[in-house]
Amino acid sequence: MSRPLRIEYPGSLHHVTSRGNARQNIFLDDRDREFFLFLLGMAVQRFSWILMAYVLMSNHFHLVIQLRNETLSRGMQWLNSKYSLRFNRRHARVGHVLQSRPDIQLVESETYGLEVLRYVVLNPVRAGMVARPDAYLWSSHRAVVGETPTPEWLAVDDVLVQFGVERVLARAAYRDFVDAAIGRKMTLWRDLVGQIYLGSDEWRERVRERVDLKPRADEHPRVQRLVGEPSMDRIIRVVADMFSIHESRIRMGRGGLPRMLTAWIAWHEGLLTNVEIAAGLRLRYSGQISRLAEQCDRVLSGNPALRNYVNVCLSTGSRSHAQVQV
């Protein structure tokens, strides 16, 4: 299975979700929840996180974390493994407690930061567990609105400063902001790009520059390294650059590796539909796309040099000067 690309840098904001293995419950009682929060506080201090929000559900949890250093992946591995060991020991069980890796989205704080905070603390309301978020004991919301003491590891002031400089008024504005979304369908994840990027076009371009500087690896899904929503036009352009040919040879050609590779990238990495791919390749029948992709799979599996070359070209989104050996 591909390992998602992680982009971590000082100041980056992340929405993190960890789920129970096979959708099993990961909190069986309040002692489990209390111990998890104890570990969460240790993780915040140990890995220098700024924890903006959290919520503990029955079979998963959400965190919103801003980084001071590149410690998110390492910290989540520590947190989840420590909790799993204690959970299994306490409940006399064996096996995985949590799914192997958490889901992590990189968030542009200026445009989506507050929406993600609101999404997280409204989880119990959307699940029908409570009518209002301040009735739920196992989230950061009650501490932010002042209904419970604030743990020293929860960045309440970092949340409130976005609603005003006076604490009482800021808390009231924050409460109104959260309450305004009760009963409303949350649509912010429709804007998610490449499964991990939530932000404006300009912000994604800045992130793309950071991605280009990261070491490339086969296990990182290439669609995530392209960052932007891939289109047939873009994929054809990248492949034409790879082979130093005109785009028309791919669009109008009668086969060959470039055309086959274009179908493969659009199918596996671009997640485009057969109809979209067929239109880009001027094919009458969309059923031909899966056959082209399967043929390309066989070619790539038998040519590691070509596969690595393709990875690099897709990672950078630019033309390489290396020669393709086919």
Side-chain angles (χ1 to χ4, degrees), residues 22-316:
R23 299 184 179 181
Q24 67 181 1
N25 286 345
I26 59 175
F27 304 112
L28 301 187
D29 54 29
D30 287 352
R31 285 183 59 189
D32 285 342
R33 298 179 182 91
E34 289 167 355
F35 181 70
F36 179 85
L37 292 181
F38 169 75
L39 287 177
L40 179 59
M42 291 183 62
V44 169
Q45 296 172 350
R46 183 184 183 98
F47 299 99
S48 297
W49 292 346
I50 301 172
L51 182 67
M52 310 286 285
Y54 72 84
V55 66
L56 312 186
M57 304 296 283
S58 298
N59 63 359
H60 68 282
F61 64 83
H62 296 263
L63 309 174
V64 180
I65 298 171
Q66 190 170 39
L67 298 182
R68 293 188 176 96
N69 303 297
E70 297 181 11
T71 58
L72 183 58
S73 297
R74 185 156 45 95
M76 287 305 303
Q77 182 180 18
W78 181 89
L79 174 63
N80 285 357
S81 63
K82 289 290 186 184
Y83 180 72
S84 297
L85 286 172
R86 168 65 179 263
F87 182 90
N88 280 345
R89 185 163 58 245
R90 179 168 181 251
H91 296 291
R93 65 182 301 281
V94 295
H96 295 291
V97 177
L98 294 156
Q99 292 179 357
S100 58
R101 298 188 186 98
D103 294 326
I104 301 178
Q105 289 87 40
L106 180 63
V107 179
E108 183 182 18
S109 57
E110 293 81 3
T111 55
Y112 287 94
L114 291 179
E115 288 295 333
V116 171
L117 292 178
R118 177 160 64 179
Y119 168 85
V120 166
V121 299
L122 283 177
N123 261 260
V125 177
R126 289 194 301 275
M129 302 169 75
V130 293
R132 296 177 55 81
D134 47 7
Y136 192 70
L137 301 180
W138 304 104
S139 84
S140 56
H141 184 74
R142 287 168 56 84
V144 177
V145 298
E147 294 189 4
T148 190
T150 302
E152 63 180 12
W153 41 265
L154 182 63
V156 166
D157 287 341
D158 291 72
V159 175
L160 291 178
V161 74
Q162 301 177 76
F163 293 90
V165 295
E166 205 285 319
R167 181 179 290 268
V168 173
L169 295 178
R171 278 178 164 157
Y174 164 81
R175 187 196 295 267
D176 290 343
F177 173 75
V178 173
D179 288 351
I182 294 177
R184 197 175 76 195
K185 188 174 182 179
M186 305 290 282
T187 61
L188 74 162
W189 301 117
R190 292 179 181 175
D191 298 333
L192 192 66
V193 173
Q195 302 174 19
I196 59 174
Y197 301 100
L198 185 63
S200 64
D201 293 342
E202 295 79 10
W203 171 82
R204 289 202 306 272
E205 179 60 26
R206 295 194 297 271
V207 172
R208 186 192 64 78
E209 294 173 357
R210 289 183 179 272
V211 173
D212 287 347
L213 297 175
K214 299 288 284 187
R216 309 302 195 254
D218 287 348
E219 67 237 16
H220 294 145
R222 289 170 288 278
V223 66
Q224 293 179 356
R225 287 185 254 136
L226 283 172
V227 181
E229 199 67 46
S231 65
M232 275 304 293
D233 287 343
R234 185 179 182 190
I235 293 169
I236 290 171
R237 184 166 59 251
V238 168
V239 175
D241 283 346
M242 287 169 55
F243 288 89
S244 299
I245 61 177
H246 194 273
E247 294 177 21
S248 61
R249 288 188 56 187
I250 296 176
R251 294 184 184 276
M252 309 301 294
R254 291 183 173 275
L257 181 59
R259 190 170 167 85
M260 190 189 332
L261 186 59
T262 300
W264 183 87
I265 293 171
W267 172 267
H268 287 288
E269 308 301 340
L271 305 181
L272 301 179
T273 66
N274 282 357
V275 173
E276 291 171 323
I277 300 170
L281 297 179
R282 307 297 193 268
L283 291 172
R284 178 176 296 182
Y285 304 109
S286 60
Q288 296 174 262
I289 302 304
S290 58
R291 289 195 294 274
L292 283 173
E294 290 171 1
Q295 291 173 10
C296 193
D297 271 329
R298 291 193 291 270
V299 171
L300 291 175
S301 64
N303 192 333
L306 175 61
R307 185 172 63 247
N308 291 336
Y309 178 83
V310 170
N311 282 343
V312 171
C313 289
L314 289 177
S315 297
T316 62

